[in-house]
Amino acid sequence: MNRIIRLEELLKEQPEDAFMNHALALEYIKAGEEEKAEKVFRKILSTNPDYVGSYYHLGKLLERKGDEGEAVRIYKKGMEAAKRMGDTHAYNELRAACEYLEF
């Protein structure tokens, strides 16, 4: 069964599951449906602002769309979340992505 369809079915039972929503957004990206992916990432971060991995992937998506200013904003928000969560690995990845755009 198509992974997108399967994830959408699972999310009917648990619509706020951040992990499954994140997986769905990544599948949308693989399928070339970046607008859908962006909506899912933004939904995740509005309901679960400490789901750090979504900041990186949303930022990269925004970079591909040419919206570097918004990508930097997202990376910085992600860095704040990573710091709150004590996730130094994610913080460093987000910082590197942000610095690449700023310099």
Side-chain angles (χ1 to χ4, degrees):
M1 180 182 284
N2 181 309
R3 291 173 63 100
I4 291 174
I5 293 169
R6 180 70 180 131
L7 286 165
E8 288 172 339
E9 287 176 1
L10 290 169
L11 284 165
K12 287 178 185 174
E13 298 168 20
Q14 299 176 4
E16 299 304 316
D17 185 295
F19 178 79
M20 282 195 290
N21 275 292
H22 185 85
L24 177 62
L26 294 176
E27 290 299 321
Y28 281 145
I29 288 172
K30 287 180 192 175
E33 298 186 49
E34 291 197 338
E35 292 300 318
K36 287 183 179 181
E38 181 177 351
K39 288 178 186 176
V40 174
F41 283 134
R42 289 189 185 277
K43 175 187 167 193
I44 293 166
L45 296 175
S46 72
T47 58
N48 192 346
D50 290 332
Y51 202 80
V52 178
S54 290
Y55 289 100
Y56 180 83
H57 290 284
L58 176 57
K60 287 296 179 187
L61 187 154
L62 292 166
E63 280 186 58
R64 287 191 299 277
K65 288 176 56 176
D67 194 349
E68 292 182 357
E70 178 67 359
V72 166
R73 190 184 75 75
I74 292 297
Y75 290 143
K76 287 182 177 181
K77 284 184 73 173
M79 290 165 59
E80 293 169 10
K83 193 178 283 188
R84 276 194 312 275
M85 301 302 293
D87 189 340
T88 55
H89 177 75
Y91 178 87
N92 289 332
E93 284 189 350
L94 289 158
R95 186 184 70 202
C98 187
E99 287 176 353
Y100 178 80
L101 292 179
E102 289 187 311
F103 298 106

